[in-house]
Amino acid sequence: MKKQVPLSNWLLKPLRWIRKIRGFRLVYTPLVYTPLMAIVIFTAVMGVILGTLQLQEKNQQEAALFRELVFAKQRIQLRFNSNADSLLAISRELAASNDEMKVRANALQQAETLLGDEHEIRKLFWLNKNNEVQWVAQANRNKKDLGLGDGQSAEQINLVKESLRKTINISQATGQPAYSQFVALDDKQVDPIVREKRIIFWQVVPISNGLDNLGVIAALYSTQGILDVIPAELKAQYRFTLMTDNDRVLAISSDRDTPKRAFSNQTSLDIGVLSPNLTLRIDTYPAPTNLTFRMLVGVVLGLSAFVIWSLWSVLKQMQVRQEAEANLKAETNFRNAMEDSTPVGIRGHAMDGRITYVNKAFCEMTGWEEKDLIGLKPPFPFWPEDKKDAQEEQMNLALNPKHYHEMKEGIRGIIVRHDGSPIDTRTFIAPLVNEKGIQNGWVTTVIDITESTKVREKLAASQERFITVLEGLDAAVSVVSIETGALLFANRFYRERFGDDSKGHFDLVGGQMAHHAMQELTEESSDQNPGIPPSALYQESESEEIQLIGDSSKWYEVRRRFIPWVDESLAQLLIATDITARKESDELTRQQEEKMQFTSRLTTMGEMASSLAHELNQPLSAISNYCMGVAKRLQGSTEVDIPRDILPALEKASEQAVRAGTIIQRIRGFVKRSELQRKLCSIADIINDAVGLVEIEANRHRLSIVSSVTENLPEVPVDPVLVLQVLVNLLKNALDSMREAYPSSSRWSAPPVKITADLDTSTFPAMLRIQVSDTGGGISEAVIERMFEPFFSTKAEGMGMGLNICRSIIESHHGRLWAKNQMDAERTKLSGCTFTILLPLESSESRETENERNSQTKPS
């Protein structure tokens, strides 16, 4: 059945249209209905009345117009019929009489009488059977021609005669009166302003006695004269137009213009059997002003404007209220949209627990429709059958104002969907307070935690598998809190080796001092970046090899890093792998390398033997010469000032002798084989010994060595002989690079080989840094990658063990050795190479001793 639309909806459409234009938001109340309906009804009634009057007046005007048109048509047709009868009478009289003179006089008199009564006929002609003019009847008898008037061209006269000839042929062929086509004539008078264009046509009536054709009567019609048949009073009220069937205007009663909405009508004229098709059109002139009708329209418009103004005033007064209601509606729509779009189910309860509201998400969650849930009281149908009592008791407890604060973490429960499938939920309850601050119900939010529960279970299973893997590792894995120092996690390997406390963890990272240093570093980083742990703390440190001294000395490879723990606190993760077996193997390898180092030192001394012999001869010869000179001087001189001359010579001889002894002592110490014996040494002394050993060869090749040692450097626990061997080897390599880069003639101006010693504070803890730099040709990248490999050498006579032994010596001191090329100022080519040595400031044994000392002093 089609739904009926209330009438008020149709009546309110104009007001809605006004509201769209003006931007008003209206609330349709009876206060608005009353003036609105009054406007609509009044306007409708007055519109009907005015429309009826207008339509009635229009119908009356059209009826009067039609009557006048029919009257004019009848007048014209009667005139043509009368003219036709008169012409037929004249033709019959000419055909029946034998007295030509008498007939001609009578016919001419009848014709003139006809011309005097009818204005549309301009002339009458009697033409015999040879088309010769017998007489002409016209109003102006001074003209004896066709009556075309002055000023007509020969072309127009021929056109009129040709039209007459064709009409005569048609009439004689049919034996009936015939009409010609319309011919337009231009009257060219002296004054071109009064020039007139006339349209004429012929009517031909045949003259016949039944057997012979005796000629014709030709009447010359003027189309303008046809309109003269219409009474003058009609032409004063209407405009008549004579047209052909193709809307060609033949004559018009007046040149006055008609209004745009003038009434008009037209009809066809039937003036004869063989007549042309003529149409008579009638148009109305503007009617006189209808003051009464206009006053009525003005009154209606004025009253409508007054009522609209009154309604507008009411609407303006209601605007504030309408805006408030619109804002409330928008807020309500926004709240409904929020409630419908949220994935959290929302229920509203009365104080007795009855459901008063459910949102779309809750209906989708449970599969129940809103109409099935509104008004239900506990127990609800979406509770499991076996848990309804427990959940009802739990809900009653939560809805109690005294206890609902205790359930801020929500209520864990199960909801059964309409199809029977269960889902895990967590429900939160809050009081529902109205605008007066009075609680009138409860609102509960229900969250589906089925997926999160499954994810939690999967995470628990994954964690269990991960812990199983960690328990099976043959490495100690431990996590210690940075703040408290408590052991947070330890796997089976750690517990078997170090127990269930964090002592073993700290022993592997450097004892309690390391723990305090980590705490201070963390606090400083937190102060610089509050709330955000520094990213550098989470980078994994390089592996370290730690030896624990105890019942059984064990070596461990330790890797550690800082990690955020599950409670967002900072913790340290440590992975320690037992490398005792590998260290024992490395010790055997080290012993073999020591033998190779001894052999290398002997080889180095062999290379230096010739230089040493040459250099030692010079100071010894000087000593000999000084001594011989002194002896001769003393023997042959009796002067008292002899001691002043002798003393400087003796001092120089003594210096040269000391220098020769020092060189020999250093050579003996270098050649002598010794075990790795650490002792606290000054790195400046070791560097000076190295420079003294190599400086002889440098001077021989016109090169120089410059040393730079930072003041107040701490003593380091090293084997001085082995470290001296490394520095001598590196200085010799630097001199070889300088010899290849500079020719012999320019070596005195070449930059010196530099050896420096300082502290490297970029590492933690700080380390001693020794650098040997030259300005030679540098080392290619391919050689740098392999230069520390055994038996790899770029020298034809080299064994390829020097740099390998040097790295082994430095690594046996727990240090590092590497090489890096230098670039020139334009960074286009190599300009030398720098070898860098990093040595710890304290040995692992001293660190163990310090740890034991700290553990002994720690209170029980």
Side-chain angles (χ1 to χ4, degrees):
M1 181 177 180
K2 185 176 181 181
K3 185 177 179 179
Q4 295 182 354
V5 180
L7 178 61
S8 60
N9 290 350
W10 296 100
L11 297 178
L12 291 175
K13 283 185 176 181
L15 189 56
R16 294 192 185 101
W17 178 75
I18 296 175
R19 181 188 62 179
K20 291 179 180 179
I21 295 178
R22 301 300 300 175
F24 280 109
R25 298 176 180 176
L26 302 181
V27 180
Y28 303 112
T29 61
L31 183 62
V32 181
Y33 285 149
T34 303
L36 178 63
M37 295 181 65
I39 292 174
V40 174
I41 294 174
F42 177 78
T43 305
V45 172
M46 296 308 298
V48 170
I49 294 174
L50 295 177
T52 303
L53 294 177
Q54 185 73 13
L55 181 62
Q56 183 178 3
E57 183 179 1
K58 178 181 178 182
N59 292 335
Q60 291 177 357
Q61 291 180 359
E62 289 180 349
L65 185 68
F66 181 73
R67 289 195 302 270
E68 301 300 342
L69 178 63
V70 172
F71 175 75
K73 175 183 177 180
Q74 291 176 353
R75 288 288 299 267
I76 293 173
Q77 288 181 344
L78 288 175
R79 178 62 62 86
F80 270 94
N81 293 334
S82 175
N83 292 341
D85 293 340
S86 299
L87 294 176
L88 288 174
I90 294 174
S91 64
R92 285 195 297 270
E93 183 175 355
L94 291 175
S97 177
N98 293 325
D99 188 355
E100 181 177 354
M101 295 299 295
K102 183 179 180 180
V103 170
R104 177 179 297 183
N106 292 335
L108 180 60
Q109 183 180 3
Q110 292 181 4
E112 291 178 350
T113 302
L114 180 61
L115 287 176
D117 297 335
E118 312 299 339
H119 299 284
E120 65 276 6
I121 301 177
R122 300 303 182 187
K123 292 184 180 182
L124 284 177
F125 296 90
W126 175 25
L127 285 79
N128 58 15
K129 59 182 179 180
N130 296 324
N131 292 335
E132 296 176 352
V133 178
Q134 300 298 314
W135 50 258
V136 177
Q138 58 182 1
N140 188 1
R141 297 181 181 267
N142 297 326
K143 300 291 181 180
K144 299 300 180 180
D145 55 2
L146 291 178
L148 298 178
D150 297 333
Q152 300 297 332
S153 62
E155 181 181 358
Q156 291 183 348
I157 295 174
N158 293 332
L159 184 62
V160 173
K161 291 181 178 181
E162 181 65 21
S163 175
L164 177 60
R165 185 184 60 79
K166 291 180 179 179
T167 307
I168 292 173
N169 293 336
I170 295 173
S171 177
Q172 291 177 353
T174 58
Q176 295 181 359
Y179 293 87
S180 69
Q181 297 297 324
F182 299 100
V183 180
L185 299 178
D186 288 336
D187 289 342
K188 298 181 180 179
Q189 300 179 1
V190 177
D191 189 359
I193 298 178
V194 298
R195 183 182 301 168
E196 181 184 3
K197 183 175 182 179
R198 294 184 299 165
I199 299 177
I200 62 173
F201 65 94
W202 294 98
Q203 181 183 11
V204 176
V205 178
I207 302 174
S208 175
N209 56 5
L211 297 177
D212 297 328
N213 181 15
L214 302 178
V216 295
I217 299 295
L220 181 63
Y221 276 86
S222 171
T223 56
Q224 190 66 37
I226 296 175
L227 295 181
D228 294 338
V229 179
I230 302 174
E233 57 271 16
L234 286 182
K235 290 191 291 183
Q237 297 180 5
Y238 306 99
R239 187 179 71 178
F240 292 91
T241 305
L242 193 64
M243 302 180 299
T244 61
D245 52 355
N246 56 358
D247 295 336
R248 177 188 175 188
V249 177
L250 301 177
I252 187 169
S253 62
S254 175
D255 293 337
R256 292 173 57 191
D257 295 333
T258 58
K260 295 181 179 179
R261 295 185 179 181
F263 295 104
S264 63
N265 204 339
Q266 62 184 23
T267 183
S268 59
L269 295 177
D270 186 11
I271 58 177
V273 178
L274 299 178
S275 64
N277 294 329
L278 293 177
T279 300
L280 180 64
R281 177 175 175 175
I282 183 172
D283 297 291
T284 61
Y285 290 125
T289 303
N290 191 345
L291 184 60
T292 303
F293 180 78
R294 291 190 175 184
M295 289 181 62
L296 182 60
V297 173
V299 171
V300 172
L301 294 178
L303 291 176
S304 300
F306 177 76
V307 176
I308 292 174
W309 177 83
S310 301
L311 179 61
W312 182 265
S313 300
V314 174
L315 296 179
K316 291 289 289 183
Q317 295 175 0
M318 295 174 61
Q319 184 176 3
V320 176
R321 178 182 175 183
Q322 294 162 359
E323 290 179 355
E325 293 178 354
N327 294 335
L328 178 61
K329 182 178 179 181
E331 189 69 23
T332 303
N333 294 335
F334 176 75
R335 183 182 64 82
N336 293 335
M338 289 286 291
E339 294 176 357
D340 291 340
S341 62
T342 180
V344 178
I346 301 176
R347 295 199 311 263
H349 295 270
M351 295 301 295
D352 57 354
R354 176 173 48 86
I355 297 178
T356 58
Y357 169 78
V358 290
N359 70 336
K360 182 179 179 182
F362 184 80
C363 296
E364 294 177 352
M365 183 185 301
T366 60
W368 295 79
E369 296 183 1
E370 181 180 1
K371 62 180 180 180
D372 299 330
L373 297 176
I374 298 298
L376 294 180
K377 291 185 177 181
F380 299 122
F382 47 80
W383 285 349
E385 291 293 337
D386 56 343
K387 296 183 179 180
K388 281 188 176 181
D389 296 338
Q391 294 195 199
E392 183 177 4
E393 182 180 356
Q394 194 175 19
M395 182 175 179
N396 292 334
L397 181 63
L399 294 182
N400 190 338
K402 298 180 180 179
H403 300 285
Y404 87 92
H405 295 287
E406 301 175 0
M407 299 186 178
K408 293 183 179 180
E409 296 182 357
I411 304 173
R412 177 78 179 273
I414 298 177
I415 288 181
V416 179
R417 293 176 55 86
H418 194 273
D419 57 2
S421 58
I423 56 175
D424 293 336
T425 61
R426 185 174 295 276
T427 304
F428 299 88
I429 300 177
L432 188 61
V433 181
N434 61 12
E435 68 279 1
K436 298 180 180 180
I438 301 175
Q439 180 181 355
N440 57 2
W442 301 87
V443 59
T444 61
T445 56
V446 183
I447 302 176
D448 185 357
I449 60 173
T450 304
E451 294 299 327
S452 60
T453 302
K454 293 180 180 180
V455 172
R456 194 179 300 109
E457 292 175 353
K458 291 181 180 179
L459 288 176
S462 176
Q463 182 179 6
E464 183 178 357
R465 292 192 296 269
F466 181 68
I467 293 176
T468 302
V469 173
L470 291 180
E471 292 291 335
L473 289 177
D474 288 335
V477 180
S478 60
V479 180
V480 172
S481 174
I482 298 299
E483 297 179 359
T484 63
L487 183 65
L488 302 178
F489 173 79
N491 68 339
R492 175 190 56 81
F493 191 92
Y494 180 90
R495 294 192 300 270
E496 291 177 354
R497 298 293 181 94
F498 305 102
D500 295 331
D501 55 14
S502 60
K503 181 179 181 302
H505 182 100
F506 290 122
D507 290 343
L508 291 172
V509 298
Q512 291 294 333
M513 293 184 63
H515 180 216
H516 296 327
M518 288 187 295
Q519 288 181 332
E520 293 176 359
L521 179 61
T522 305
E523 292 175 358
E524 292 177 0
S525 301
S526 300
D527 293 339
Q528 296 175 0
N529 302 280
I532 304 177
S535 59
L537 292 177
Y538 299 100
Q539 295 180 357
E540 185 175 357
S541 65
E542 296 183 358
S543 61
E544 290 184 279
E545 294 180 355
I546 305 297
Q547 184 182 20
L548 296 181
I549 307 300
D551 295 338
S552 58
S553 297
K554 294 289 186 180
W555 282 91
Y556 293 94
E557 182 181 7
V558 179
R559 289 182 177 273
R560 61 182 183 273
R561 65 175 299 178
F562 293 97
I563 61 172
W565 195 239
V566 293
D567 59 353
E568 302 298 333
S569 63
L570 192 62
Q572 186 184 51
L573 169 67
L574 183 141
I575 302 176
T577 306
D578 188 354
I579 59 172
T580 304
R582 193 187 75 186
K583 293 297 292 184
E584 292 176 354
S585 175
D586 291 344
E587 180 64 22
L588 294 176
T589 303
R590 186 187 63 80
Q591 294 175 3
Q592 294 177 358
E593 288 180 352
E594 287 181 356
K595 297 178 181 180
M596 296 178 64
Q597 293 168 9
F598 179 72
T599 304
S600 176
R601 288 196 295 272
L602 292 180
T603 303
T604 304
M605 286 303 301
E607 295 175 356
M608 298 173 59
S610 59
S611 297
L612 290 175
H614 176 75
E615 294 295 331
L616 288 176
N617 286 332
Q618 292 180 2
L620 292 176
S621 298
I623 293 172
S624 177
N625 293 333
Y626 284 134
C627 291
M628 291 176 63
V630 171
K632 290 180 180 182
R633 189 77 177 268
L634 291 176
Q635 291 175 359
S637 178
T638 58
E639 296 180 3
V640 181
D641 296 333
I642 290 178
R644 289 184 301 178
D645 297 331
I646 296 175
L647 183 58
L650 292 177
E651 289 177 353
K652 293 181 180 179
S654 177
E655 290 176 0
Q656 295 296 328
V658 171
R659 179 184 176 195
T662 302
I663 293 173
I664 294 173
Q665 183 181 359
R666 288 174 180 173
I667 293 174
R668 290 182 61 190
F670 181 77
V671 175
K672 182 180 177 181
R673 172 185 174 86
S674 62
E675 300 293 334
L676 180 62
Q677 297 178 357
R678 294 177 183 267
K679 62 179 180 180
L680 294 176
C681 302
S682 173
I683 196 63
D685 295 340
I686 298 175
I687 290 176
N688 290 334
D689 291 343
V691 172
L693 288 174
V694 185
E695 193 174 18
I696 300 172
E697 184 176 356
N699 293 333
R700 185 163 59 91
H701 294 291
R702 300 181 181 180
L703 297 172
S704 59
I705 301 175
V706 176
S707 62
S708 175
V709 181
T710 303
E711 296 181 356
N712 299 325
L713 287 178
E715 295 183 343
V716 289
V718 296
D719 189 325
V721 175
L722 296 181
V723 175
L724 178 62
Q725 177 184 348
V726 173
L727 296 181
V728 169
N729 201 339
L730 295 180
L731 289 172
K732 288 183 61 180
N733 289 341
L735 292 174
D736 293 341
S737 178
M738 295 287 289
R739 287 167 53 192
E740 295 177 0
Y742 294 93
S744 178
S745 60
S746 61
R747 288 178 186 171
W748 288 113
S749 60
V753 175
K754 296 181 181 180
I755 178 169
T756 62
D758 58 1
L759 286 179
D760 184 7
T761 58
S762 63
T763 62
F764 180 79
M767 302 181 73
L768 177 66
R769 176 172 57 190
I770 305 172
Q771 290 183 321
V772 178
S773 303
D774 62 75
T775 57
I779 306 174
S780 64
E781 294 297 331
V783 174
I784 286 181
E785 293 179 357
R786 300 188 58 194
M787 63 191 303
F788 293 103
E789 295 180 3
F791 306 107
F792 176 81
S793 176
T794 57
K795 301 177 182 179
E797 69 280 2
M799 295 176 58
M801 293 299 295
L803 290 177
N804 178 261
I805 293 174
C806 291
R807 172 172 280 188
S808 300
I809 292 174
I810 297 302
E811 290 180 350
S812 68
H813 287 78
H814 302 289
R816 295 174 56 196
L817 170 62
W818 72 90
K820 183 178 181 181
N821 284 318
Q822 300 173 359
M823 304 296 291
D824 58 358
E826 291 78 11
R827 303 191 66 81
T828 57
K829 64 179 181 177
L830 299 178
S831 64
C833 181
T834 299
F835 283 82
T836 303
I837 299 173
L838 290 181
L839 291 174
L841 297 178
E842 60 180 1
S843 62
S844 59
E845 290 82 359
S846 62
R847 224 175 19 245
E848 292 295 334
T849 303
E850 182 66 21
N851 292 339
E852 291 178 0
R853 187 181 302 111
N854 292 336
S855 63
Q856 291 175 3
T857 58
K858 183 178 180 181
S860 59

